[in-house]
Every structure is written in structure tokens, then in C-alpha cells.
């Protein structure tokens, strides 16, 4: 009998990734509730990310405008947008280790 444990592990990983994605809503860009919890947490540790992006997309100007209109901090806008994109592509965060750390 062939060893199917590798396939079973892959199926479990796929199921975990699907569970971590947002429920289907009318807004495909709606942030995941876990993401909002992390972003809204008062003592969330933060790290810097720096990437060169095309100037033609005017991302910095658009982020500043969105911040002015909605009051969401610049870093939170970027974090939510990247999280939604990466979850949609099948790359959810492993928040279980972050929840286990003492506050």
C-alpha cells in the first residue's frame, strides 16, 4: 500500500489555510477579524518594512489621503492591505504563536 501521509499533511495544511481566510463577504477586501484584532491591540509590537514601489502608483499620496479621510494610521493601512492580499493568495499568518506570548 502506498504511503499517503505526505498527501494527508498537504491536505491538512490546505484546510488550515482556508480556515484562516476571511469568510466570503460582499466586500472581497474586508480585513480578517484576526488582523483587525492585531492592528487594534494597544501593545502590538511593530516592525519596519521598506520596499521600493513604482512612483506612478502614487501609493504614498493615496495612503496619506486615506489616512486623512478615515483616520487609520499609515502603517495599519499597509498592514491590512498586505494581509488581505497574502491571505487571498494562500499565505495566512500563524497568529497562534503570537497569542501564546505573555503580554
Amino acid at each position: 500500500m502506498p504511503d499517503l501521509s505526505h498527501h494527508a499533511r498537504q491536505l491538512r495544511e490546505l484546510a488550515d489555510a482556508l480556515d484562516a481566510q476571511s469568510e466570503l463577504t460582499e466586500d472581497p477586501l474586508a480585513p480578517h477579524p484576526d488582523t483587525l484584532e492585531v492592528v487594534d491591540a494597544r501593545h502590538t509590537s511593530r516592525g519596519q518594512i521598506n520596499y521600493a514601489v513604482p512612483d506612478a502608483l502614487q501609493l504614498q499620496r493615496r495612503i496619506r489621503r486615506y489616512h486623512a479621510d478615515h483616520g487609520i494610521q499609515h502603517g495599519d493601512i499597509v498592514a491590512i492591505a498586505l494581509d488581505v492580499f497574502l491571505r487571498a493568495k494562500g499565505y495566512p499568518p500563524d497568529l497562534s504563536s503570537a497569542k501564546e506570548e505573555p503580554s
Side-chain angles (χ1 to χ4, degrees):
M1 184 127 193
D3 181 13
L4 301 176
S5 60
H6 173 71
H7 297 292
R9 183 174 44 79
Q10 285 182 321
L11 286 172
R12 278 193 296 275
E13 289 172 1
L14 179 61
D16 290 343
L18 289 172
D19 285 342
Q21 291 181 357
S22 297
E23 294 292 322
L24 293 178
T25 64
E26 295 202 15
D27 181 7
L29 299 178
H32 192 279
D34 290 345
T35 302
L36 294 176
E37 183 179 327
V38 170
V39 167
D40 292 339
R42 185 173 185 189
H43 298 290
T44 297
S45 66
R46 295 183 176 255
Q48 189 74 26
I49 62 171
N50 295 308
Y51 289 98
V53 294
D55 288 332
L57 295 177
Q58 303 171 349
L59 293 173
Q60 292 178 351
R61 180 187 64 79
R62 293 161 57 199
I63 288 171
R64 285 192 301 270
R65 179 174 282 169
Y66 190 87
H67 167 69
D69 290 345
H70 299 279
I72 299 175
Q73 295 302 314
H74 300 156
D76 292 348
I77 295 167
V78 173
I80 291 168
L82 286 174
D83 184 68
V84 167
F85 173 81
L86 291 170
R87 281 178 189 270
K89 296 296 184 181
Y91 295 93
D94 179 12
L95 297 177
S96 61
S97 61
K99 290 179 181 177
E100 294 171 1
E101 294 176 5
S103 315

